[in-house]
Amino acid sequence: MQFGVFTVGDVTVDPTTGREPTEAERIKAMVTIALKAEEVGLDVFATGEHHNPPFVPSSPTTMLGYIAARTERLLLSTATTLITTNDPVKIAEDYAMLQHLADGRVDLMMGRGNTGPVYPWFGQDIRNGIPLAIENYDLLRRLWREDVVDWKGRFRTPLQSFTSTPRPLDGVPPFVWHGSIRSPEIAEQAAYYGDGFFANHIFWPAEHTRRMVELYRQRFAHYGHGTADQAIVGLGGQVFMRRNSQDAVREFRPYFDNAPVYGHGPSLEEFTAQTPLTVGSPQQVIDRTLGFREYVGDYQRQLFLLDHAGLPLKTVLEQLDILGEEVVPVLRKEFESLRPAHVPVAPTHASLRAAQAAADGETPAGDLAGTGAEAGQ
């Protein structure tokens, strides 16, 4: 199972000091967090994509390419790649280039984002959100899998004898997750292609996540990609930890109460009871996270949101130390002991390359699963 962190890259005032980081400080902090994630033994770092304040990650491949040059094992991903407003041709080329630079340590998560105004900024209409996601992704898949593409659709100019360059590394496109908070159409899309489904798992109660994942699993099996429990599922999550749970609650409360997303709404106690947010000791985070399996089944990727709501970098790095030293080793062992042998682990470039070779009759597939550490092999 893969464990990692994702960031939305918000520039938020620290409510305990009144200080707001500069954009440069926030961008460099995200890089520092990625490097720390590898240092403490995590598998994945994922960045969001936003084109409006107070967020800074408008160019994920630029950041991930820089991180790739400074890491050796870390799998680089996105918490959202805007399939609705980005040109599929540009996505195909940018992420294939990143694949080559990172020696295959790349996958990405398609999403529609949650900022309505972004659509007209990029010449689109938010009312076409779902049709854009469907058409653009279909084209993206063809660009990665066909050397020469002739294509005509509704939302962009036609392509005639077009070749996207560079071609995917080893002829194997990056693995794709489809991320969603509430849209069953996206779960359906992920299932149709046999791709991964990533449930946001931040703002909604467990029952909502259970229904979305169950739909994806049912449709994954319907389309003949395997049994329902072999579908590839990822979850988000939020945690804040201290050795003593009371200290964690006391320290995190001002950040929660003033957070742009959920501040000035439900109390911290109400929100932690109704959503996966866990504020407490490392053992409480372990117990809560293991409990996710009870309503989504065996899953392949767990990403935590740590750097938000104005938390200073020093505190985030402390959280990463706790996560890597005390929490994730236990979660790895426990989840692995519970996973049935027929349930796959998360795909990597190595496993996808082996599967492609087996399909082409070049070599026995063997174990087609891989770990984060094998992503670039």
Side-chain angles (χ1 to χ4, degrees):
M1 186 164 171
Q2 294 174 343
F3 295 91
V5 292
F6 72 99
T7 179
V8 295
D10 58 310
V11 178
T12 303
V13 173
D14 182 335
T16 68
T17 65
R19 186 181 185 279
E20 180 180 287
T22 66
E23 290 182 326
E25 288 172 335
R26 187 66 174 100
I27 291 168
K28 291 178 180 179
M30 293 164 67
V31 173
T32 300
I33 290 165
L35 301 183
K36 184 70 169 180
E38 176 165 275
E39 177 189 321
V40 302
L42 301 186
D43 305 309
V44 184
F45 172 82
T47 176
E49 178 186 346
H50 295 275
H51 299 276
N52 57 290
F55 305 99
V56 292
S58 58
S59 182
T61 52
T62 303
M63 171 170 283
L64 295 177
Y66 181 73
I67 295 170
R70 300 186 62 186
T71 55
E72 297 179 355
R73 183 189 58 82
L74 194 66
L75 183 59
L76 308 170
S77 190
T78 59
T80 301
T81 295
L82 297 176
I83 189 62
T84 46
T85 49
N86 281 312
D87 185 349
V89 172
K90 198 69 171 71
I91 295 176
E93 296 186 336
D94 284 352
Y95 284 90
M97 175 69 79
L98 181 59
Q99 256 197 324
H100 286 271
L101 291 172
D103 296 323
R105 294 184 288 127
V106 176
D107 62 28
L108 64 163
M109 187 193 308
M110 300 299 169
R112 294 182 295 136
N114 58 7
T115 306
V118 72
Y119 285 83
W121 295 341
F122 289 87
Q124 301 295 349
D125 187 329
I126 192 172
R127 292 170 293 187
N128 295 326
I130 294 294
L132 276 163
I134 293 171
E135 179 177 297
N136 284 354
Y137 183 60
D138 181 69
L139 174 57
L140 175 63
R141 284 182 59 89
R142 290 190 58 190
L143 291 167
W144 274 337
R145 289 165 171 80
E146 300 175 25
D147 289 338
V148 180
V149 173
D150 291 295
W151 180 90
K152 184 176 182 180
R154 175 181 170 191
F155 297 112
R156 77 173 316 281
T157 53
L159 298 173
Q160 295 181 341
S161 301
F162 178 77
T163 298
S164 172
T165 60
R167 304 304 299 147
L169 178 65
D170 300 321
V172 178
F175 184 74
V176 170
W177 304 80
H178 298 259
S180 179
I181 298 176
R182 60 185 180 275
S183 301
E185 296 92 340
I186 301 304
E188 176 77 17
Q189 183 183 37
Y192 177 79
Y193 290 108
D195 294 336
F197 178 69
F198 192 93
N200 173 275
H201 204 228
I202 296 292
F203 305 113
W204 291 70
E207 177 58 23
H208 172 79
T209 300
R210 184 196 66 77
R211 291 196 302 268
M212 290 289 286
V213 172
E214 182 179 41
L215 170 63
Y216 162 67
R217 290 188 183 280
Q218 290 174 348
R219 301 302 288 170
F220 181 94
H222 169 80
Y223 288 116
H225 301 297
T227 59
D229 61 353
Q230 292 176 320
I232 306 299
V233 174
L235 295 181
Q238 297 180 84
V239 298
F240 187 85
M241 298 168 286
R242 289 301 183 202
R243 299 288 182 268
N244 182 289
S245 60
Q246 289 80 12
D247 291 339
V249 170
R250 183 171 57 253
E251 184 176 348
F252 187 67
R253 188 181 299 279
Y255 295 97
F256 176 88
D257 289 345
N258 293 279
V261 175
Y262 43 56
H264 311 290
S267 70
L268 176 58
E269 288 73 17
E270 291 171 330
F271 201 83
T272 53
Q274 297 170 10
T275 76
L277 171 64
T278 307
V279 180
S281 68
Q283 188 59 52
Q284 286 174 303
V285 170
I286 290 169
D287 293 342
R288 188 84 180 276
T289 305
L290 288 173
F292 297 164
R293 182 178 177 272
E294 296 175 5
Y295 54 89
V296 301
D298 292 289
Y299 64 111
Q300 284 75 16
R301 175 175 287 184
Q302 175 66 58
L303 300 184
F304 296 102
L305 175 63
L306 300 177
D307 67 321
H308 61 117
L311 286 163
L313 177 60
K314 178 178 180 294
T315 301
V316 175
L317 297 180
E318 292 168 351
Q319 296 294 301
L320 280 163
D321 278 329
I322 299 171
L323 194 66
E325 294 170 7
E326 301 184 39
V327 174
V328 166
V330 177
L331 292 176
R332 283 194 198 281
K333 180 180 179 181
E334 294 298 322
F335 275 118
E336 182 59 26
S337 70
L338 295 168
R339 181 177 63 88
H342 71 282
V343 172
V345 295
T348 65
H349 183 75
S351 67
L352 294 173
R353 184 179 62 187
Q356 183 61 56
D360 294 341
E362 297 176 6
T363 183
D367 181 6
L368 299 183
T371 67
E374 298 167 336
Q377 297 179 1

